[in-house]
Amino acid sequence: MLKLYAMFLSLVFLAELIAGISGFVFRHEIKDTFLRTYTEAIQYYDGNDERSRAVDDVQKSLSCCGIQSYTNCTMSAYFQEHGIPPSCCSNMSDCKPSDMPKVYQRGCYDLVTDLMETNMGIIAGVAFGIAFSQLIGMLLACCLSRFITANQYKMV
């Protein structure tokens, strides 16, 4: 039973290690994927669907608008009818396209990628800390298994 537990912990350890290394190695692909999906989300922004709510959450929490700037919002059908999305404004209740000082000028892509790169060390440290604790658990399970096996032969 303990050997099975050690085997399971080693598989989880390897999966975490592979995921961590892959995330670090393919971080540029992650950025490209984010850029592609965020551009698509802005193009099809309508203010009601799940994708639009995700865009609103990013823009509100990071105080940003669009991809590179607020002008990216002009490529959506929503802009033609309603103007700038309310999440692009510092005061969401009073935001008109003519009130450019109230619209966030900085784009969200740079902020999100900077946030990812800044916190990459913290994320990697936490991942390796968890992996290391699992490695210790694996070693202790193997030692316990050997100890139990050795004592069973002495008892009989």
Side-chain angles (χ1 to χ4, degrees), residues 46-121:
D46 68 0
N48 297 322
D49 65 347
E50 185 80 23
R51 198 183 320 186
S52 298
R53 284 192 291 277
V55 168
D56 287 338
D57 288 343
V58 168
Q59 292 180 159
K60 279 188 262 182
S61 62
L62 295 177
S63 301
C64 59
C65 184
I67 302 158
Q68 270 72 30
S69 72
Y70 68 92
T71 58
N72 299 123
C73 294
T74 60
M75 60 186 174
S76 71
Y78 180 88
F79 180 80
Q80 308 307 326
E81 279 184 47
H82 306 285
I84 299 283
S87 60
C88 282
C89 301
S90 54
N91 183 2
M92 288 177 35
S93 61
D94 180 34
C95 185
K96 298 176 185 73
S98 60
D99 295 335
M100 282 303 124
K102 294 179 183 177
V103 174
Y104 299 127
Q105 302 295 312
R106 187 156 184 209
C108 296
Y109 176 74
D110 291 334
L111 285 174
V112 170
T113 55
D114 290 347
L115 190 67
M116 276 182 6
E117 287 177 3
T118 302
N119 294 320
M120 188 64 76

Side-chain angles (χ1 to χ4, degrees), residues 16 20 22 25 36 38 50 53-54 71 74 86 100 105 125 142 155:
E16 285 180 350
S22 298
V25 170
R36 187 177 63 253
Y38 198 68
E50 185 80 23
R53 284 192 291 277
T71 58
T74 60
M100 282 303 124
Q105 302 295 312
C142 288
M155 287 181 186

